[in-house]
Amino acid sequence: MYKFLRCSLAVISLLSVAASLNAQAPKKLTQYVNPFIGTGAVKGSLSGNNYPGATVPFGMVQLSPDTRDEPEWDAASGYDHNDNFIAGFSHTHLSGTGAPDLFDILFMPYTGDEKTRAGDAKQPGSRYGSRFSHANESARAGYYQVRLDDHDINAELTATAHAGFHRYTFPRNSSAKVVIDLNHSLKKPNFGCQVIAARFNIVNDHAIEGFRVITGWAKLRKVYFYAEFNKTIKSNDLVDGGTQYFNQQLLNGTDLRAILDFDASDGIPVLAKIGLSTVSCENAKLNLDAEIPAWDFDRVVAQADALWENELEKINVEGSEKQKQIFYTALYHTFIQPNNYADVNGDYTAIDYTVHHAKDGFYSTFSLWDTYRAAHPLYTLVQPERSAGFVNSMISQYDAYGYLPIWQLWGQENYCMIGNHAIPVVVDAVLKGIPGIDINKAYETVKSSSTTDHPGSPFKAWEKYHYMPENVQSQSVSLTLEMAYDDWCVAQLAKKLNKTADYEHFMQRSQYFRNLYDTQSGFFRAKDSDGKWASPFNPLQYGGNGGNPYTEGNAWQYYWYIPQDVKGLIGLTGGDTKFTAKLDTFFTLNSKPGEVNGNASGFIGQYAHGNEPSHHITYLYNYAGQPWKTQYYVAKIMSELYNTSSSGYAGNEDCGQMSAWYVFSAMGFYPVNPASGVYVIGSPAMQKSVISLSSGKRFTILASHRSAENIYIQSAKLNGKPYTHTYITQSDITNGGTLELVMGPKPNKSWGVNASDRP
C-alpha cells in the first residue's frame, strides 16, 4: 500500500512538472494567425476583403475557396464570410484589394452519377459547387479545411511558393470527381474580362496540364499549370462551352472544364498537386517537382507553418491574447505580398510578354498607392533582402517598359490609382542603405518616371502650371499633393548623389502644393488651367476615382497630405494653435454627405481609417506640440477599429497597408513621411515589442504599465537615457537598443512639447 502510494505520488509529481513545463512553453506565433479576420463585413461596413486560404510568405500561389461563381467588387478576394456556398478552390487571389482579379485554375471535388456528371457545363457552380457551414471550416497559416455539405467531402488545402496541394476525402464507395475550370474568373465583362485562349492536355493516367490566357484588370495574363493525382484518372470529360468530349486527350477553346473520375472505394483520399508558371507547362512541372516531390500532405502543411513561423519571429510582442491575434494576423497579411512569380529556375513572363530571367526572383502585386505608406517601410526593417528584390523588380519594369510601376499585377501594369508611388519605395530603400540596389540606376528610374508623361501623371502640365488643373487632369488636388511628395523623394536621392541642379528643381516642385491652397476657405482646392477656383466648393464632398478633384476622399482628408513639409503646412494653417484646432475639428466633425465613397469607412469625425489618405493624420499632433492627442487617437483606433472577427478591419486591407498601420502603431511609432527614415511616436498597444534585425541586432520597445486605461506617455528613455523627442530614427532602430515608454491614465502635457522635441 505504502509502496503503491509512493509510486502514485511520484507519477502525480512528474505529471505536475510536465504540465507546468507545458504551460510555460511559449506558443508558436503561427497559432495567433487567424486567416478569417477581415473576410466578411457586418452590415453597413467594410471588413478587409481578405481570403482564408493557404499561402506561404510572398508566394505566387494563394489557394483559397471562392464563394462566388463570378467574384465582384464586394468579394474581391473571392471569399465572403457571409456566404454559405463554395464554387471551388482557385490558386491565385488578391489580399484585401478594392478590385477583383486572378482566381486562376479552379478545382472542385464533387460526387454525382453518370447522368449528371457533365451537368450544365455553362453553370459549373450550380452543379459542382456546394453549401458549407463555418462550423465545419478551419484555417491557419498555410492550411485551409472545409466540409462540402452537398457532397459530404472534406477538402483540405495547403501550398508552397509555386504549387497548391489538395486533399479530398470522399464518402467511401461514392463517385469521386474533380472539376478543373479554366473559365472561372471575375464577373465578365468587367475590366473587359474574357478568356482569350485555353487548353487541356491529358499527360497520362495520373496527370493533366494546360494553360489559359485571360485579360481583366491585369491584361493578357498567361497562367500555365501541371497537375498530378495520387490515383488513376479512370475517365474524363473535356468540355468546351456546352460541348462534351469524352475521354479525349487534348482540347483547345475559351470556355473549358475538365471532369475527372477517380475510384474512392478504398477510402483513400484523392490528392492533387498543382504547379503554376507564367512561362510554360514544363516550368509549372519543374516548380511542382522542386517544391512537392512526394505525396506527404501533412509534411507540406508543416513546412508552410515553419516558413510562416520564421517570418513572424522577426517581431516578438507581449500583450493580451486578443492583441497578439490581431498583431500576428496583421503581420501575416503584410507578408502575403508582393509575390515572387518567377519560376524556381528564375524564368518569368515580363511586362513585354517575353520570357525574362531573374536569378533572385521577380516580384509583382504592387498596390503602391496603398503600400508605400507603411508596408514598404516595414519591409525595409524586417525584410531588407526582399526589399531589394522589390526595388530591383520595379527597376526591371522600367527597363522593359519605360517607367516604374503604378499598380502592377501578374507582371502587368493596370495604372490603377494616382501618383508615382514606386518612387518613395525606391528612394526609401536606397537612403536606408538596403544592399543589392544600384543607386545610380535607381536614380535614373525615379527621375525619368518623374518627367515622362504616362496615364495619371501628365508631367508636361505639371511643369507648365505648377499645379494640376482639374480641366487637364481629374483628381487634380489629390494628384498635386501626391506628386509633390514624390518629387520631394526624387530630390532627396539627387541630394545624396550631389546632383545639385536636380535637387533644387525637384524641391521646388515638391512645394507646388502651395499653389492650390485657398486662404479664404482654408483648404486645398481645384483650379482650372486659367487659374480660376473650381466652384461650388464643399470640403465634405467626396470624390472617387475620377470626375472630382479628390481621390477616394474629400478636402478635409486631403488637407493633411503634406508629409514632406508638415512644418510648412502648419505655417499655412496659421501656426501650432490653429493647426491643432483644425485637427480637433477634423476628428470631431461628424457631418457626412450622401456621396460618401464606398472606400470611406472607419470614421472618427472626418478621419476615415478605412482608406489610406487618413492613415498618417493621427500622428500630426506631435508636429505641433500636442503629442498626447496623437496618443489618444492612435489608441482609440487600435482598440475600436481592429478586432478578431471576420469584420476585423475598418476597410479594405489593401495588400498589407491596413495591417502595417497596426503593426507599426501597436509597437509605438509610424512613418508619417515614408521615405524620411523618421518614425513618429504614438501610443504602443503592446507591453513589449522586439524587432529582430537581419544584422543580428535587436530593437526593443517597452511600454511600462500599458493597459486599456494607461494610453498616455508619462516619460521615455532611449538606451537608458531620458528621451523627450516624439520620434525615433532609422538608425536608432538599426543600431539596436531599447526605447522605454512609461504609460499612465492621464496625459503628461509637458513631455515632447518643445519645438526641439518635434519631428
Side-chain angles (χ1 to χ4, degrees):
M1 175 86 177
Y2 175 74
K3 183 178 180 181
F4 174 77
L5 180 60
R6 186 172 57 185
C7 291
S8 298
L9 289 172
V11 170
I12 292 170
S13 178
L14 287 171
L15 289 174
S16 297
V17 170
S20 177
L21 289 173
N22 187 57
Q24 294 173 12
K27 239 175 149 178
K28 289 180 67 176
L29 300 182
T30 52
Q31 294 181 40
Y32 293 109
V33 174
N34 177 2
F36 290 112
I37 292 177
T39 58
V42 295
K43 186 176 181 180
S45 75
L46 296 176
S47 69
N49 228 336
N50 295 307
Y51 61 81
T55 190
V56 296
F58 307 100
M60 175 188 187
V61 166
Q62 307 90 32
L63 177 53
S64 189
D66 293 338
T67 60
R68 312 282 176 89
D69 284 334
E70 295 180 302
E72 294 191 71
W73 302 87
D74 58 342
S77 73
Y79 182 96
D80 188 328
H81 199 267
N82 297 299
D83 294 337
N84 63 359
F85 171 83
I86 288 176
F89 308 105
S90 58
H91 287 76
T92 59
H93 293 85
L94 286 165
S95 181
T97 57
D101 206 356
L102 305 184
F103 315 114
D104 295 306
I105 321 300
L106 180 136
F107 272 53
M108 185 63 182
Y110 83 108
T111 57
D113 57 35
E114 292 297 314
K115 293 180 181 179
T116 62
R117 71 176 177 181
D120 182 355
K122 292 185 178 181
Q123 296 293 332
S126 63
R127 174 63 61 184
Y128 312 125
S130 173
R131 292 167 295 176
F132 76 103
S133 167
H134 294 304
N136 296 316
E137 182 188 36
S138 64
R140 58 183 187 267
Y143 173 82
Y144 174 85
Q145 171 275 329
V146 67
R147 178 165 292 280
L148 302 172
D149 291 342
D150 290 339
H151 309 306
D152 194 23
I153 296 170
N154 190 53
E156 299 171 273
L157 313 174
T158 189
T160 63
H162 300 86
F165 203 171
H166 306 234
R167 181 163 66 188
Y168 305 139
T169 303
F170 287 84
R172 186 180 287 271
N173 297 322
S174 70
S175 297
K177 307 177 189 299
V178 176
V179 178
I180 307 174
D181 189 345
L182 299 188
N183 193 43
H184 177 70
S185 70
L186 66 101
K187 186 174 179 62
K188 303 178 182 72
N190 293 352
F191 292 116
C193 180
Q194 62 175 315
V195 176
I196 307 300
R199 172 185 292 177
F200 282 122
N201 178 41
I202 305 294
V203 178
N204 54 48
D205 63 1
H206 281 77
I208 182 173
E209 65 182 15
F211 71 85
R212 75 172 180 178
V213 179
I214 184 170
T215 195
W217 193 24
K219 306 305 178 188
L220 290 176
R221 296 186 304 109
K222 299 178 182 179
V223 189
Y224 297 85
F225 78 95
Y226 186 92
E228 293 180 349
F229 298 89
N230 66 325
K231 293 191 172 190
T232 300
I233 302 171
K234 292 167 49 183
S235 63
N236 74 75
D237 298 348
L238 302 185
V239 181
D240 183 10
T243 306
Q244 298 171 237
Y245 300 86
F246 293 96
N247 293 318
Q248 181 164 304
Q249 178 188 348
L250 182 70
L251 185 64
N252 291 281
T254 58
D255 185 9
L256 300 189
R257 275 156 299 283
I259 300 96
L260 310 179
D261 289 299
F262 299 91
D263 183 359
S265 62
D266 56 8
I268 297 173
V270 174
L271 301 179
K273 303 187 298 185
I274 301 94
L276 296 191
S277 169
T278 68
V279 173
S280 66
C281 292
E282 292 77 12
N283 273 26
K285 184 177 188 302
L286 181 69
N287 291 337
L288 182 60
D289 291 345
E291 294 180 355
I292 315 181
W295 290 100
D296 192 338
F297 181 88
D298 293 326
R299 182 178 181 183
V300 176
V301 172
Q303 289 172 343
D305 181 83
L307 288 172
W308 278 114
E309 185 72 17
N310 182 65
E311 298 301 330
L312 299 178
E313 284 178 350
K314 292 178 177 178
I315 305 179
N316 276 272
V317 298
E318 294 179 10
S320 70
E321 293 294 291
K322 178 181 177 181
Q323 286 175 324
K324 286 192 282 188
Q325 188 176 146
I326 296 172
F327 184 92
Y328 283 112
T329 303
L331 198 57
Y332 163 84
H333 282 140
T334 308
F335 290 169
I336 285 177
Q337 66 288 294
N339 308 113
N340 178 13
Y341 91 160
D343 296 327
V344 294
N345 65 359
D347 292 347
Y348 68 96
T349 297
I351 196 168
D352 59 4
Y353 298 105
T354 64
V355 176
H356 290 212
H357 185 84
K359 65 177 182 178
D360 296 321
F362 175 83
Y363 290 89
S364 189
T365 317
F366 289 119
S367 182
L368 289 163
W369 186 80
D370 309 294
T371 57
Y372 85 94
R373 303 167 193 263
H376 279 281
L378 183 63
Y379 298 142
T380 65
L381 286 176
V382 294
Q383 300 284 353
E385 297 84 1
R386 283 198 173 91
S387 288
F390 302 157
V391 169
N392 288 329
S393 296
M394 293 178 190
I395 290 173
S396 73
Q397 172 171 317
Y398 167 83
D399 286 336
Y401 204 57
Y403 45 82
L404 291 167
I406 306 299
W407 212 125
Q408 188 202 81
L409 175 60
W410 204 259
Q412 297 302 313
E413 183 59 67
N414 62 34
Y415 304 108
C416 186
M417 306 310 295
I418 62 171
N420 251 19
H421 298 318
I423 290 172
V425 174
V426 173
V427 170
D428 183 41
V430 171
L431 294 181
K432 287 176 178 173
I434 301 293
I437 302 170
D438 183 331
I439 185 172
N440 291 299
K441 181 67 173 180
Y443 183 69
E444 175 192 332
T445 67
V446 298
K447 180 181 178 182
S448 176
S449 295
S450 297
T451 54
T452 303
D453 276 4
H454 56 81
S457 296
F459 288 104
K460 290 186 176 71
W462 186 236
E463 293 279 15
K464 178 178 180 180
Y465 297 105
H466 297 181
Y467 61 92
M468 196 58 65
E470 179 69 13
N471 61 324
V472 172
Q473 181 69 49
S474 184
Q475 305 174 71
S476 61
V477 176
S478 295
L479 194 55
T480 294
L481 301 180
E482 295 192 21
M483 289 173 66
Y485 174 68
D486 293 337
D487 284 344
W488 180 88
C489 294
V490 179
Q492 304 316 299
L493 192 49
K495 182 179 181 180
K496 182 177 180 65
L497 293 173
N498 296 316
K499 298 180 181 294
T500 304
D502 283 354
Y503 169 74
E504 292 175 351
H505 177 67
F506 284 105
M507 281 299 289
Q508 184 181 37
R509 288 193 354 180
S510 77
Q511 293 290 308
Y512 284 176
F513 66 87
R514 295 176 179 272
N515 297 324
L516 291 187
Y517 184 72
D518 174 23
T519 56
Q520 185 173 353
S521 68
F523 287 96
F524 295 101
R525 289 182 56 187
K527 286 181 179 178
D528 64 17
S529 55
D530 293 326
K532 296 178 181 177
W533 295 114
S535 61
F537 172 67
N538 177 3
L540 292 171
Q541 184 178 3
Y542 271 79
N545 300 99
N548 187 282
Y550 305 96
T551 301
E552 296 187 6
N554 63 17
W556 267 109
Q557 288 149 14
Y558 261 98
Y559 183 81
W560 315 100
Y561 191 78
I562 315 293
Q564 74 275 23
D565 189 9
V566 179
K567 292 180 180 178
L569 179 61
I570 292 172
L572 281 178
T573 313
D576 291 345
T577 301
K578 290 185 177 180
F579 184 78
T580 54
K582 189 157 189 166
L583 275 172
D584 292 343
T585 302
F586 174 73
F587 281 105
T588 55
L589 180 61
N590 291 317
S591 299
K592 291 187 283 288
E595 302 89 10
V596 171
N597 182 268
N599 286 303
S601 57
F603 281 99
I604 302 174
Q606 288 304 298
Y607 179 89
H609 192 68
N611 209 15
E612 281 68 22
S614 288
H615 275 191
H616 68 293
I617 301 174
T618 52
Y619 288 87
L620 296 182
Y621 281 108
N622 283 20
Y623 291 79
Q626 293 188 358
W628 63 90
K629 291 182 180 177
T630 284
Q631 295 155 31
Y632 170 80
Y633 283 114
V634 169
K636 181 178 178 69
I637 292 166
M638 287 190 288
S639 65
E640 296 180 5
L641 298 181
Y642 290 84
N643 62 64
T644 58
S645 76
S646 65
S647 57
Y649 291 96
N652 290 329
E653 207 277 323
D654 286 320
C655 290
Q657 170 57 28
M658 193 73 72
S659 289
W661 187 96
Y662 186 88
V663 170
F664 267 125
S665 296
M667 290 193 293
F669 51 91
Y670 185 81
V672 170
N673 178 340
S676 68
V678 173
Y679 303 91
V680 181
I681 294 173
S683 177
M686 299 300 172
Q687 296 169 3
K688 182 179 181 180
S689 303
V690 181
I691 303 172
S692 296
L693 304 165
S694 60
S695 64
K697 295 180 179 179
R698 294 183 176 185
F699 186 73
T700 300
I701 306 98
L702 299 174
S704 302
H705 313 305
R706 175 61 166 91
S707 68
E709 295 76 28
N710 293 349
I711 63 172
Y712 296 105
I713 297 172
Q714 307 300 299
S715 63
K717 289 182 180 179
L718 180 63
N719 299 328
K721 297 180 179 179
Y723 194 74
T724 55
H725 296 325
T726 58
Y727 64 93
I728 56 175
T729 66
Q730 179 78 5
S731 60
D732 289 330
I733 297 172
T734 56
N735 288 338
T738 300
L739 174 66
E740 182 177 0
L741 304 172
V742 178
M743 311 301 293
K746 295 181 179 180
N748 177 2
K749 296 185 179 181
S750 64
W751 181 82
V753 300
N754 295 325
S756 59
D757 292 322
R758 303 174 191 177

